[in-house]
Amino acid sequence: MGAASSDQERIDLFNLYVGEKRPQNDLAESDIGHFTVTLMPDYEQRIKQLHKSPQKHTQIEIRDGKLTEKVSFSEERPGKWEITAIASFSKDASHQSILLDDPINDNGLWDLCEILTFITGRRVTTEDRLERYSYKKHGEPACIGIETLRTASLAWKNRNNLRNEDITYALFAYNEALNQNDLHTMAALYTCALNIICDNVRSDIGQIPKKCRNQLSKKIESIIDKEKALTDSQREAYKALIKARVMQGPFSALDNLRSLLQELDVIPSSPSQDDVLQRVKFINVVRNRIIHTGKMPTLPNLTREQSARYTVSIIGGVIPEICRMFIGKKLGFAERGLGSLSLYTDDLKNFFEAGQWRGWNLKLQSFEDWFYGESL
């Protein structure tokens, strides 16, 4: 940390990645709320120190008048924490982070890092929090690399939407999952984010007023009280069980999930394909089974190997993409504007309609055959 001028505070930002090239001119610097975030002048040299996952590259070539695919692979780059940008702000003003239960007087740094982490798919942080996070894990970005800072500026303006709709912890859980290597920990965090989001959708599809639910509960309790075959303890147990279910409302977790997917336009409003509804149920089974039992579920009509492929794809790809899309919409992102990558629907539609995840046929192909071999 250092002072940019007598009235400016300057904070080093670690691990902010916007692509292999430093954007030109004003794309390398942007106001994000009261911050001015600037990429380091030697950004392109610094990012060579960041972690990079192994990748498959497919290039289409024309040979002898025919289209052919040329596939190559890049190895993992170990990497380390590296300062890639600076955040400056006025010392004279006092600002708060609001993406918490209660606002904190940290000049907004928590909010800035959470927003940049969500947008880039990499944990962006400050020096005092380096030991808390991992630089090795990263997910998908929410926008085109060169638009990162402008997208963050838009997200900052709309971050109140997350707080007002009580979904800030969906953002936290999603971001925290980026640090994890363990499948079960990832599943817990991504499922937490999805559950928070589905609760938000439940309120949109018609929450039953509390007064009405209380009245229904009392009527059912009066019927239980009249049942002479029950002992007092059985009667009280039934009443507690029924009351809890009535107060929860008529919509199941599966109902909420289906409504969410329809709201995001990744499944039709009235799905006609049984396979589509089956894959919606797969997500519900996976998020319940792996959390409650710790085991990979065997999904209906699939072998254990096929179920494992679906489970890994759902936890590592499908659920995060659903969460990213929903949060992106709340932050004001647009399909043909800033944050467009978070609203890309083709991968999710292909999953529900065809059982494919990014070209991987989950029912027919092993991971190795898909990644290193040819597409079916």
Side-chain angles (χ1 to χ4, degrees):
M1 183 192 306
S5 64
S6 59
D7 62 344
Q8 289 283 306
E9 189 86 13
R10 193 180 91 159
I11 302 291
D12 295 333
L13 296 179
F14 289 76
N15 214 34
L16 176 56
Y17 177 82
V18 303
E20 294 296 307
K21 299 290 184 180
R22 188 180 191 270
Q24 297 296 314
N25 304 322
D26 59 341
L27 291 174
E29 179 176 286
S30 181
D31 290 336
I32 303 173
H34 59 282
F35 293 102
T36 298
V37 176
T38 308
L39 298 176
M40 298 296 288
D42 57 346
Y43 168 85
E44 292 176 22
Q45 294 302 313
R46 290 176 178 265
I47 62 163
K48 292 178 181 178
Q49 306 303 315
L50 302 184
H51 178 267
K52 192 173 184 179
S53 298
Q55 291 179 315
K56 177 181 181 180
H57 308 277
T58 302
Q59 183 177 351
I60 305 297
E61 296 182 343
I62 300 178
R63 291 183 181 179
D64 300 325
K66 296 181 180 180
L67 291 177
T68 61
E69 286 189 359
K70 182 180 180 181
V71 179
S72 60
F73 302 89
S74 60
E75 296 182 356
E76 180 179 17
R77 183 173 66 201
K80 67 182 185 68
W81 288 113
E82 182 66 36
I83 300 168
T84 57
I86 299 294
S88 303
F89 57 95
S90 173
K91 289 181 179 179
D92 299 331
S94 177
H95 298 278
Q96 293 181 318
S97 285
I98 63 171
L99 297 177
L100 305 109
D101 285 336
D102 298 302
I104 57 172
N105 297 316
D106 69 337
N107 291 308
L109 281 169
W110 173 272
D111 286 4
L112 178 67
C113 289
E114 290 297 323
I115 286 171
L116 288 172
T117 296
F118 174 76
I119 289 172
T120 62
R122 290 174 177 261
R123 172 52 69 177
V124 178
T125 191
T126 51
E127 187 172 15
D128 58 322
R129 292 196 174 111
L130 293 182
E131 292 184 359
R132 175 174 178 172
Y133 302 119
S134 169
Y135 58 83
K136 291 185 177 181
K137 297 292 293 180
H138 44 86
E140 298 295 325
C143 72
I144 298 169
I146 60 172
E147 295 180 344
T148 297
L149 299 184
R150 289 185 176 179
T151 304
S153 181
L154 174 63
W156 183 276
K157 294 174 184 176
N158 290 300
R159 75 195 199 281
N160 256 316
N161 291 342
L162 304 185
R163 181 174 176 83
N164 293 341
E165 298 189 32
D166 200 22
I167 53 176
T168 55
Y169 277 87
L171 175 69
F172 298 158
Y174 175 90
N175 284 349
E176 190 61 31
L178 297 173
N179 287 312
Q180 309 304 320
N181 290 307
D182 177 68
L183 181 69
H184 294 81
T185 308
M186 286 176 56
L189 290 164
Y190 282 137
T191 297
C192 174
L194 183 62
N195 287 344
I196 293 168
I197 289 169
C198 282
D199 283 345
N200 180 277
V201 172
R202 178 178 63 186
S203 65
D204 290 342
I205 62 177
Q207 180 74 339
I208 307 300
K210 187 174 181 180
K211 182 178 180 180
C212 178
R213 284 178 284 147
N214 273 325
Q215 290 173 344
L216 286 173
S217 177
K218 289 179 180 178
K219 288 180 180 179
I220 297 173
E221 286 177 21
S222 67
I223 295 173
I224 295 173
D225 282 334
K226 296 175 183 177
E227 180 52 62
K228 297 180 180 180
L230 297 174
T231 65
D232 289 342
S233 59
Q234 290 171 338
R235 191 175 291 112
E236 291 305 312
Y238 262 123
K239 287 165 63 175
L241 180 65
I242 295 299
K243 182 175 182 178
R245 187 65 187 92
V246 170
M247 296 306 291
Q248 181 182 348
F251 303 112
S252 68
L254 183 59
D255 292 330
N256 296 337
L257 176 59
R258 179 173 170 175
S259 295
L260 170 63
L261 297 173
Q262 290 168 338
E263 178 183 303
L264 296 175
D265 194 30
V266 296
I267 66 171
S269 56
S270 299
S272 58
Q273 296 174 255
D274 290 340
D275 287 347
V276 171
L277 296 177
Q278 182 78 326
R279 292 182 187 110
V280 175
K281 292 177 181 178
F282 282 175
I283 295 178
N284 208 45
V285 171
V286 167
R287 73 176 183 175
N288 282 327
R289 197 71 54 80
I290 200 168
I291 293 299
H292 291 294
T293 70
K295 298 178 181 179
M296 291 275 202
T298 299
L299 300 170
N301 303 317
L302 298 179
T303 67
R304 289 189 66 181
E305 184 178 353
Q306 291 168 335
S307 295
R309 294 176 206 156
Y310 264 94
T311 298
V312 170
S313 298
I314 286 170
I315 291 171
V318 177
I319 290 179
E321 191 132 321
I322 293 169
C323 295
R324 184 165 58 251
M325 188 177 296
F326 183 87
I327 294 170
K329 282 179 174 289
K330 295 300 179 181
L331 292 175
F333 299 167
E335 291 181 20
R336 296 186 179 181
L338 298 174
S340 59
L341 295 186
S342 69
L343 305 183
Y344 179 76
T345 60
D346 284 5
D347 287 335
L348 287 173
K349 286 182 176 179
N350 285 335
F351 171 79
F352 289 108
E353 293 173 6
Q356 293 186 359
W357 183 246
R358 296 184 175 169
W360 180 15
N361 191 310
L362 301 176
K363 198 168 184 178
L364 302 179
Q365 287 179 293
S366 69
F367 174 82
E368 289 75 13
D369 288 343
W370 164 69
F371 192 79
Y372 296 107
E374 298 180 355
S375 299
L376 290 175

